Amino acid sequence: MPVIDVHTHMYTPAWLELLKAKGGAYNIQRRPDGQDEIFRGDTPVAIPQPGHFDYALRIQQMDAAGIDISIVSLTCPNVYWGDEATSCQAAVESNDAMARAQAQYPDRIRWFTSLPWEYPERAVQELERSCANGAVGVMVLANISGRSLTDPFFEPVWAAIDRRGLPVLVHPTDPPGVDLMDMTKYDLSWSVGFMFDTTLAFTRMIFDGFFDRFPNMKLIASHGGGTLPYLVGRFEKGDEVEIPQRRRMKRKPTDYLRHIYYDSITYDPRSLQYLVSVVGASQVMLGTDWPHQVHDVKGALGKIDTLGAEAREAVRGGNALKVFGL
């Protein structure tokens, strides 16, 4: 059974230069340790690492870790900045670089396309173009410049993705209001804000009936689903007392939690075991977050090994084989 990493990232030098030149609120600041970091205003977003730009280094890391296939994606801030031309240019730059990497390493690399979601017609065009070039799924941030993923504005893009039945990696970024919530210090935008962003995005989808309108997509909740598994009881109680006239979903919240897929990035085996106990081993796939500073390549595989033999094989690669049709 191949070992498949579904949550791992790449940038390109041209994408980073475009962000520096036309990133709007996004800027580069020098950290006390000498590293350059991407900020939105005064909120830290991501720290580019050498591995973000070097596929040969990625293959070396995969070989050392025992990972057979990496499904790479652009991470935050993705392409949601600049004007229409800039956003589309950033998407094409990233997607074409990933397509070239897959051509160079056809047995090792697959990729998620990034789309200029703020321009739905162009996003659908880029979806069609990038899927024709080999994309096996879509990467989207949990909020798009502050807009909810369930905003009707994005419905044409979701409809196009649903028609293709594609996997979608939903990845957090800094949520709206991080400055008001005092998350700009101590990396709280990462440790707390990211979890909040993912949790809120999927909770909206569940209660809004999103999965009933778009039944063919395979959405993947990053970082073990944020706090979704832990909130299962509150979701069920909330649904129990909801006014019937306001209820939009057709099933119970737990049913949707067991419909969503999750990566294994939890940093703690107890969290991973609890996730599996709530949603089932069939819904969890290996993620490492490499090459971010917070990656957990060795730890991720070790934590999966604490699961039973059948669950272990499913999470390490069996589920991804099915979800991505590899």
Side-chain angles (χ1 to χ4, degrees):
M1 180 75 69
V3 177
I4 303 172
D5 183 357
V6 307
H7 184 155
T8 178
H9 301 300
M10 296 298 292
Y11 290 136
T12 77
W15 174 91
L16 186 59
E17 289 306 310
L18 188 62
L19 179 75
K20 291 177 181 178
K22 299 182 178 181
Y26 291 97
N27 60 89
I28 307 297
Q29 299 183 27
R30 183 63 55 86
R31 290 162 45 99
D33 61 4
Q35 294 189 87
D36 287 339
E37 185 166 13
I38 300 170
F39 279 71
R40 186 177 65 80
D42 293 325
T43 301
V45 175
I47 307 170
Q49 301 290 320
H52 279 112
F53 305 95
D54 189 337
Y55 279 95
L57 180 59
R58 168 176 292 280
I59 297 300
Q60 292 177 16
Q61 177 272 334
M62 291 168 61
D63 288 344
I67 295 171
D68 298 297
I69 300 172
S70 285
I71 306 178
V72 298
S73 58
L74 185 64
T75 187
C76 50
N78 206 270
V79 302
Y80 316 144
W81 37 269
D83 56 15
E84 179 175 346
T86 301
S87 184
C88 293
Q89 181 183 351
V92 169
E93 163 61 28
S94 176
N95 293 337
D96 285 358
M98 291 180 182
R100 290 192 297 270
Q102 178 175 298
Q104 184 175 3
Y105 302 103
D107 298 327
R108 311 299 299 278
I109 299 296
R110 295 293 184 271
W111 54 285
F112 290 97
T113 181
S114 290
L115 307 175
W117 283 78
E118 294 167 289
Y119 311 98
E121 184 175 350
R122 300 293 299 274
V124 172
Q125 292 172 359
E126 181 59 19
L127 175 69
E128 294 172 352
R129 190 191 75 88
S130 53
C131 284
N133 285 343
V136 296
V138 177
M139 195 275 200
V140 65
L141 299 185
N143 77 83
I144 298 174
S145 296
R147 291 181 94 156
S148 302
L149 297 184
T150 51
D151 191 317
F153 181 77
F154 301 125
E155 294 268 324
V157 188
W158 287 120
I161 296 171
D162 189 64
R163 283 194 295 271
R164 292 176 175 270
L166 291 170
V168 180
L169 178 65
V170 180
H171 189 285
T173 185
D174 50 302
V178 289
D179 50 346
L180 296 175
M181 292 185 282
D182 195 22
M183 288 189 188
T184 58
K185 298 186 293 292
Y186 316 118
D187 277 334
L188 296 181
S189 58
W190 172 79
S191 60
V192 177
F194 273 25
M195 302 302 97
F196 168 76
D197 200 32
T198 298
T199 301
L200 185 58
F202 276 93
T203 303
R204 285 195 186 107
M205 289 176 170
I206 290 171
F207 283 84
D208 192 56
F210 179 91
F211 296 104
D212 301 307
R213 297 195 302 278
F214 301 113
N216 301 315
M217 285 182 287
K218 309 172 187 72
L219 267 69
I220 305 165
S222 295
H223 308 122
T227 62
L228 287 169
Y230 188 74
L231 293 173
V232 59
R234 295 186 73 87
F235 292 156
E236 288 293 325
K237 177 56 71 173
D239 181 53
E240 178 185 318
V241 301
E242 176 61 288
I243 299 170
Q245 294 87 339
R246 291 196 315 204
R247 194 177 193 277
R248 303 192 66 177
M249 56 184 170
K250 296 180 179 178
R251 292 178 284 165
K252 291 293 185 181
T254 303
D255 296 328
Y256 295 101
L257 290 178
R258 292 172 178 163
H259 173 78
I260 297 164
Y261 291 92
Y262 306 80
D263 68 31
S264 65
I265 304 170
T266 60
Y267 302 105
D268 190 299
R270 295 166 298 181
S271 299
L272 180 61
Q273 292 159 12
Y274 179 69
L275 170 64
V276 169
S277 75
V278 173
V279 305
S282 65
Q283 303 307 112
V284 183
M285 295 177 281
L286 168 66
T288 67
D289 229 344
W290 196 85
H292 283 314
Q293 271 193 326
V294 295
H295 79 77
D296 192 30
V297 174
K298 183 178 180 180
L301 290 167
K303 292 171 185 61
I304 291 171
D305 288 344
T306 67
L307 305 174
E310 184 176 349
R312 173 183 177 275
E313 291 305 303
V315 175
R316 285 168 64 96
N319 295 333
L321 284 175
K322 297 174 185 177
V323 170
F324 291 91
L326 300 178

